[in-house]
Amino acid sequence: MADDYVRRTAITHLSVDGEQRDLLEDTITEWKRGCQIATDLAWGHCNTKSDVQPLAYDSVREDTDLGSQHAILATHQAAQAITGCIERRSKGKKVSKPTFTAPTVKYDTRTMTVFDDGTVSLSTTESRVRCPLDLPDADDGYQRQYLDSDEWSVTESTLTTRDGEFFLHIGFRRHKNDTERNTAEDGTVLGVDLGIENLAVTSTAYFFSGQELTHDLREFEKVRAGLQQTGTRSAHRTLVQSSGRELRYVRDVLHRASNTLIDEALRYDCDVIAFENLTHIRDRTGASWGHTWAFRTLYEYVEYKAESVGISVKQVGSAYTSKRCAECGFTADENRPSRNDFRCVKCGSEANADYNAAKNIGMRYLRRGQQSSRRTGDSQLALKSGTVKPKRGFTAYPDGFEAEFTDKPHLQSAEGA
């Protein structure tokens, strides 16, 4: 069962030569065609893998250069896309038949083999290619904790290309242990809000600035646009080098941010780090594609680092977390007079808007737990000056605690509407 596994993804750059590049690009092109053929045949008729595969497999094999296993995977991808449309339609959203334009292709253990020497073998439309994984040094490459472990096994993965470079999103999984299957869900929670001006803000009032990340993303976007417009071979080489530098800069920022969040959780003895749901974060924040990718990557970094220190990472619904007062619970558009400020029109509480949202995210996780039969309702939210429980109110940290007392005791009213 899928629920019996812990899953992780390790994003790794591939080193490819000219012939390998051509074969992989052809495979991506044929993959998109195969997914579209299967979708066109199944749309309006069926959506399960067991139905789409027998319906579309022969057509995918005849009309594309995909091998047999990739043809099967293409029918499964079509089934997944159609199912997603059906789910969105059930929620009253308008949907149209899926189209496949993303430069990606799926791999499984039959079409991909990862070797101990740091190379990977990938099926293409012709022969297999064997490419080196461009891994960071062991000291700072998070991929190695999965690649070098007997505990983690490779599962379905995705190859993608961007600006002429290839990246393999290698999927890993391992069985949950008994502790993970029966984790007590009571404990101390750290709420985290993600954003553009402040990349991450915690319920303990730690602010990790997003200015460095925003500057890097904007500068690299300008460089890419100029080089792509030039279109020369020299410009392409420069573009490839620029993309590599971009990834290193951005990942360095995200690693530092994730380390900070883990340190903050450990400092306040937290058992859970709660983020807002990332599904529609681009729509909510107006973030660029680059920022959206950064938010998801930061979450993944925190998730795998938290696991090593025994902290769980969860996502909760994000509705109204930016407009709800963390002190009295009153929710209104008027509570946000500006992008950065929160001022409750009911109780008069004032706070940084991201900090207010971080506390709301943490409290939402606590309230959700009150409806769970596995939890006793004894969880608490970590604040800078103490902890708060939905029904029992605020408790200040004892004298001598290193954090300054900045939160007000009347935060106990956060149990309100």
Side-chain angles (χ1 to χ4, degrees):
M1 293 174 56
D3 288 342
D4 286 335
Y5 292 100
V6 176
R7 298 177 184 273
R8 295 291 182 271
T9 300
I11 304 174
T12 309
H13 178 259
L14 285 185
S15 296
V16 299
D17 59 31
E19 182 180 357
Q20 292 172 335
R21 178 183 303 278
D22 291 340
L23 288 172
L24 292 173
E25 288 178 346
D26 288 344
T27 303
I28 288 174
T29 298
E30 294 300 287
W31 166 261
K32 291 189 291 185
R33 288 184 59 224
C35 292
Q36 197 63 59
I37 290 170
T39 299
D40 292 345
L41 290 171
W43 183 252
H45 299 286
C46 56
N47 69 294
T48 64
K49 293 179 180 180
S50 59
D51 289 333
V52 178
Q53 180 177 327
L55 174 67
Y57 173 79
D58 288 341
S59 295
V60 174
R61 285 285 281 146
E62 291 171 4
D63 297 335
T64 73
D65 294 328
L66 294 176
S68 59
Q69 185 61 21
H70 259 139
I72 292 173
L73 293 175
T75 66
H76 293 176
Q77 185 74 12
Q80 180 180 340
I82 296 171
T83 299
C85 288
I86 293 173
E87 291 175 351
R88 289 194 295 275
R89 182 186 294 154
S90 68
K91 297 178 182 178
K93 299 181 180 180
K94 293 182 179 180
V95 298
S96 56
K97 184 172 65 176
T99 57
F100 295 85
T101 59
T104 63
V105 55
K106 287 290 182 67
Y107 280 89
D108 64 2
T109 53
R110 294 185 180 182
T111 52
M112 179 186 79
T113 304
V114 179
F115 295 96
D116 292 338
D117 64 357
T119 62
V120 60
S121 172
L122 301 169
S123 293
T124 70
T125 50
E126 295 184 21
S127 58
R128 278 194 171 233
V129 297
R130 187 161 177 172
C131 313
L133 296 170
D134 188 8
L135 294 167
D137 293 336
D139 291 341
D140 59 8
Y142 77 96
Q143 299 94 333
R144 293 188 183 277
Q145 70 174 291
Y146 307 115
L147 290 167
D148 298 342
S149 172
D150 294 332
E151 190 178 18
W152 293 92
S153 59
V154 175
T155 183
E156 190 171 277
S157 305
T158 302
L159 177 72
T160 186
T161 181
R162 179 187 176 197
D163 297 331
E165 295 291 282
F166 288 90
F167 299 90
L168 189 60
H169 296 232
I170 308 175
F172 293 90
R173 73 178 187 182
R174 66 165 173 79
H175 284 284
K176 290 181 178 179
N177 56 43
D178 291 339
T179 300
E180 290 166 327
R181 290 192 185 96
N182 303 289
T183 299
E185 297 189 22
D186 290 309
T188 303
V189 179
L190 181 74
V192 179
D193 178 69
L194 301 178
I196 297 175
E197 183 165 333
N198 293 304
L199 176 59
V201 178
T202 70
S203 59
T204 52
Y206 187 94
F207 289 71
F208 192 98
S209 174
Q211 293 181 357
E212 180 181 359
L213 176 66
T214 299
H215 176 268
D216 288 344
L217 289 174
R218 287 176 177 170
E219 289 301 310
F220 283 120
E221 196 62 41
K222 292 177 184 177
V223 172
R224 276 204 304 270
L227 293 172
Q228 287 171 339
Q229 187 173 9
T230 301
T232 64
R233 182 174 298 180
S234 175
H236 175 74
R237 286 197 298 268
T238 305
L239 179 60
V240 171
Q241 295 171 354
S242 172
S243 298
R245 287 196 300 270
E246 174 186 357
L247 285 172
R248 287 192 292 273
Y249 277 125
V250 172
R251 284 176 176 161
D252 177 65
V253 174
L254 298 177
H255 272 298
R256 284 190 278 116
S258 62
N259 289 338
T260 296
L261 293 177
I262 297 298
D263 289 345
E264 194 74 357
L266 291 173
R267 177 189 178 198
Y268 286 87
D269 199 22
C270 295
D271 305 281
V272 177
I273 301 176
F275 287 81
E276 61 185 303
N277 189 288
L278 303 181
T279 303
H280 301 295
I281 194 168
R282 186 172 184 178
D283 296 333
R284 294 195 303 274
T285 64
S288 65
W289 179 91
H291 269 102
T292 305
W293 171 83
F295 294 151
R296 297 186 186 281
T297 303
L298 175 60
Y299 180 85
E300 291 178 357
Y301 285 177
V302 172
E303 190 175 38
Y304 81 76
K305 292 177 182 180
E307 182 184 16
S308 66
V309 292
I311 297 174
S312 299
V313 180
K314 305 291 184 181
Q315 293 186 31
V316 298
S318 59
Y320 306 113
T321 53
S322 65
K323 300 175 183 179
R324 176 189 174 96
C325 178
E327 295 203 20
C328 74
F330 181 71
T331 304
D333 292 342
E334 294 76 16
N335 286 348
R336 289 289 300 274
S338 68
R339 182 185 183 94
N340 297 324
D341 299 321
F342 185 93
R343 186 177 302 116
C344 181
V345 298
K346 182 178 180 180
C347 73
S349 173
E350 297 183 12
N352 175 276
D354 297 334
Y355 177 44
N356 179 78
K359 291 191 284 187
N360 279 328
I361 289 167
M363 287 299 294
R364 180 156 294 175
Y365 178 81
L366 299 186
R367 292 192 182 92
R368 187 179 70 177
Q370 292 178 328
Q371 282 77 50
S372 171
S373 60
R374 296 173 58 191
R375 294 166 65 178
T376 66
D378 201 36
S379 298
Q380 58 190 9
L381 176 65
L383 302 174
K384 189 175 181 67
S385 60
T387 59
V388 62
K389 297 181 180 180
K391 293 184 177 180
R392 302 183 188 178
F394 178 84
T395 302
Y397 293 122
D399 291 341
F401 187 79
E402 61 180 0
E404 298 176 4
F405 290 177
T406 57
D407 286 296
K408 301 176 182 178
H410 68 270
L411 274 167
Q412 60 189 330
S413 61
E415 66 188 356

